[in-house]
Amino acid sequence: MPDPTLDLQLTWRGTFGRVRVFTDSVLAETSFERPERTVVPMEQVTGWRIEPCDFDAVCVEFETSEDTYRVLLDTADEGVTHHALTRVLGAPLPRQS
């Protein structure tokens, strides 16, 4: 597998989040709101968005028909994450908040 163009991860209040963006794909893992670390099933993702989670974290939300997977990242990484995901996955879904 080639090196990612963006590789971000955050351990925040006991929660793990990671987003790896490649030229034509995205890999993501999360333990936020989950009993254990979970790989986001990217082949089932129908849309994504970035939402605020707290004053020092944002949630990258990956939506599937069955579930929403929230990956926590540092607020400082929001802009670069948005740009990289837009390039690979297309425009985000509208914000819910």
Side-chain angles (χ1 to χ4, degrees):
M1 179 171 277
D3 290 336
T5 58
L6 180 68
D7 189 351
L8 299 171
Q9 72 179 40
L10 176 69
T11 301
W12 182 81
R13 299 182 186 172
T15 299
F16 177 81
R18 184 175 193 183
V19 174
R20 299 176 79 201
V21 180
F22 298 86
T23 303
D24 58 357
S25 65
V26 176
L27 299 177
E29 298 175 73
T30 186
S31 65
F32 185 60
E33 301 174 329
R34 307 217 169 247
E36 60 188 34
R37 191 180 294 189
T38 302
V39 175
V40 177
M42 295 306 295
E43 67 282 352
Q44 297 174 22
V45 169
T46 57
W48 69 278
R49 71 173 62 82
I50 298 177
E51 295 279 338
C53 284
D54 206 328
F55 69 93
D56 59 352
V58 293
C59 288
V60 180
E61 296 182 349
F62 294 100
E63 301 235 348
T64 70
S65 61
E66 308 253 331
D67 205 351
T68 299
Y69 297 84
R70 291 177 179 86
V71 179
L72 293 178
L73 293 177
D74 191 290
T75 55
D77 295 328
E78 181 176 2
V80 69
T81 303
H82 184 276
H83 176 74
L85 291 176
T86 299
R87 194 183 74 234
V88 177
L89 300 177
L93 298 169
R95 285 192 169 207
Q96 292 186 335
S97 52

